[in-house]
Amino acid sequence: MLTPLKDKTVVVTGASKGIGKGIAKTFAAKGAKVAVVARSLTKAEETAVEIRENGGAAHAFEGNVADLESMKRVADETAGVFGGIDVLCANAGIFPNAPIEEMTGEQWDEVMNTNARGTLYSLQACLPFLKKAEYGRIIVTSSITGPVTGYAGWSHYGASKAAQLGFMRSAALELARYNITINAVMPGNIMTEGLEGLGDQYLQAMTASIPLKRLGSVEDIAHASIFLASKEAGFITGQTIVVDGGQILPESLEAMS
Ligand code: NAP
């Protein structure tokens, strides 16, 4: 059994919906105090209210991970409300479709600025507080797309998700001296509003390509994040956990039968 997260403060970026909301709710259910971060304060507040109505501790913050000053404000205010920061879940991310032949520099930059630079800024903003924690934990939400697999139309997204892992490995070395670990969860296809938007045909094709024959749940990702945030995971740093129902395993459709 993992040591309870009671009295630990967790900053979750991109927590107003999807995987981040699942992470925020699951950490809160385990007794952690949760800073719910998104660009829309109204939406972040909805998640925070839901957590408080279920007996958890949560506070909503308006923050843009692509803006360092905004994230510094979030970190300062979180520490002001909850007394410190122990865990950062750098989860916020975007995945717009853009075929290479049509992709503009602006589209590339938007994805890289949110997904890759946003990971750096979230970490930089929270670092002064993580250094003061008994043990600091950073969990990055990467993806199988990019580091392991490819998907036509998401080359910039794949590049940003692979960039997060390259960043993480060097960050692990820099942060070890502060007893801070950094690891990544690599989700496969997780049932979220964002994924739902890709349509029924996409969802059916995806489900068929997953050996466990279901899409993942946001809780599947949250549970991996909670393990990496635990005291018991303290000797693990710079590593990844693929949470995909076996999706990256088959060499061919034949291998699925
Ligand atoms: P989602 O449902 O679209 O939610 C994205 C969240 O991020 C929202 O709360 C959004 O709120 C926030 N956000 C977006 N841009 C932001 C910014 N610049 N600053 C702060 N918050 C921002 O996405 P999701 O599917 O849960 O994905 C979450 C993470 O999991 C992403 O990193 C994604 O790459 C990764 N992932 C997802 C899947 C999947 O199957 N869903 C698979 C692999 C990896 P605002 O718009 O209000 O800011």
Side-chain angles (χ1 to χ4, degrees):
M1 181 148 128
L2 301 177
T3 304
L5 290 164
K6 202 170 168 333
D7 298 328
K8 297 289 179 200
T9 296
V10 184
V11 172
V12 186
T13 67
S16 62
K17 60 180 179 145
I19 290 174
K21 183 173 181 178
I23 292 174
K25 287 173 70 174
T26 310
F27 269 92
K30 300 279 181 200
K33 298 174 279 189
V34 181
V36 176
V37 185
R39 287 168 303 177
S40 163
L41 182 59
T42 314
K43 295 265 186 246
E45 189 56 39
E46 282 170 18
T47 300
V49 166
E50 211 177 305
I51 290 173
R52 290 196 293 268
E53 282 175 355
N54 284 302
H59 195 95
F61 297 95
E62 181 183 336
N64 179 357
V65 295
D67 176 347
L68 181 58
E69 289 314 309
S70 161
M71 287 313 295
K72 281 184 175 170
R73 233 176 3 255
V74 167
D76 287 347
E77 288 173 13
T78 299
V81 171
F82 290 132
I85 299 173
D86 303 282
V87 181
L88 163 65
C89 292
N91 166 80
I94 55 170
F95 36 91
N97 178 289
I100 289 169
E101 285 186 281
E102 293 152 28
M103 193 188 301
T104 63
E106 287 74 21
Q107 285 174 313
W108 172 273
D109 287 346
E110 190 196 5
V111 167
M112 294 303 282
N113 286 347
T114 305
N115 299 358
R117 190 198 290 234
T119 303
L120 167 71
Y121 284 170
S122 302
L123 190 161
Q124 284 181 322
C126 292
L127 189 54
F129 304 100
L130 291 168
K131 282 163 76 171
K132 290 188 206 147
E134 182 193 355
Y135 50 86
R137 297 276 186 270
I138 301 164
I139 298 103
V140 176
T141 310
S142 174
S143 177
I144 58 169
T145 310
V148 185
T149 63
Y151 208 106
W154 278 278
S155 60
H156 53 350
Y157 174 76
S160 74
K161 293 284 132 178
Q164 286 181 306
L165 298 189
F167 168 77
M168 173 194 74
R169 294 189 180 101
S170 295
L173 298 178
E174 289 190 39
L175 300 176
R177 75 195 68 162
Y178 306 120
N179 197 23
I180 297 170
T181 65
I182 176 167
N183 294 286
V185 177
M186 296 163 67
N189 280 267
I190 308 301
M191 202 53 217
T192 56
E193 301 93 316
L195 207 74
E196 233 170 335
L198 299 176
D200 275 351
Q201 208 182 341
Y202 176 92
L203 296 179
Q204 278 165 19
M206 270 306 160
T207 306
S209 69
I210 298 171
L212 287 176
K213 292 293 176 236
R214 67 170 178 90
L215 295 174
S217 67
V218 294
E219 289 79 17
D220 288 324
I221 305 306
H223 290 140
S225 304
I226 284 194
F227 168 64
L228 291 171
S230 70
K231 189 173 186 177
E232 285 74 10
F235 204 48
I236 302 172
T237 194
Q239 302 305 310
T240 57
I241 301 182
V242 173
V243 183
D244 73 342
Q247 190 177 345
I248 62 171
L249 297 176
E251 290 182 5
S252 67
L253 287 178
E254 194 65 10
M256 292 281 282
S257 57

